[in-house]
Amino acid sequence: MPRYLTMIRIDERNAPADGPSPELLERMGALLEEITKAGVMLDTAGLTPTAEGTRVTWSGGKMSCTDGPFTESKEVIGGYSIIQAKDKAEAVEWTKRFLLTHEDYWTITAEVREIMEP
């Protein structure tokens, strides 16, 4: 079965200052338990803020490193999951269910892409 990477994009400037609510964490935990028991979830995690990150760029034969935060980026990857699904449609349905665990004040975009196998 194909594997899919889901990148969760958030706008750090508009994310709730206190992070996810306890209710959101509970709903998310229940969904993650369900998707794991279904044998679909392979790995998932949230990421630290861009203020703690570094971008490494190779361009024009030169290497450069830029420490965060990356204020020029409206959306940043706030987390990811790797799932194994029968097809892209199933991967998208699980992703929609994950987004629906969030309250209405969140603005989140999820990008679902198949992982190329060697």
Side-chain angles (χ1 to χ4, degrees):
M1 284 202 317
R3 295 179 305 147
Y4 295 88
L5 171 67
T6 302
M7 294 169 280
I8 306 299
R9 297 182 183 275
I10 63 169
D11 182 344
E12 285 184 320
R13 296 170 296 193
N14 293 325
D18 296 336
S21 69
E23 296 81 13
L24 169 57
L25 292 175
E26 185 176 323
R27 290 188 302 273
M28 194 180 301
L31 178 61
L32 292 177
E33 183 177 334
E34 179 185 349
I35 193 171
T36 300
K37 284 182 178 177
V40 175
M41 181 64 70
L42 300 178
D43 190 25
T44 188
L47 301 175
T48 59
T50 61
E52 299 175 29
T54 299
R55 285 189 179 156
V56 182
T57 303
W58 174 254
S59 177
K62 294 183 181 182
M63 186 79 60
S64 66
C65 294
T66 306
D67 290 333
F70 309 120
T71 55
E72 72 281 358
S73 300
K74 182 173 193 257
E75 292 182 334
V76 298
I77 298 174
Y80 73 93
S81 70
I82 298 175
I83 65 171
Q84 191 165 16
K86 65 182 178 193
D87 55 28
K88 186 176 177 183
E90 180 185 10
V92 168
E93 284 306 312
W94 282 111
T95 301
K96 287 178 179 179
R97 288 188 59 194
F98 173 78
L99 294 181
L100 286 170
T101 65
H102 294 74
E103 293 91 356
D104 291 344
Y105 55 82
W106 283 87
T107 299
I108 306 169
T109 301
E111 183 177 336
V112 178
R113 296 179 52 188
E114 186 172 349
I115 297 172
M116 294 176 60
E117 300 296 339

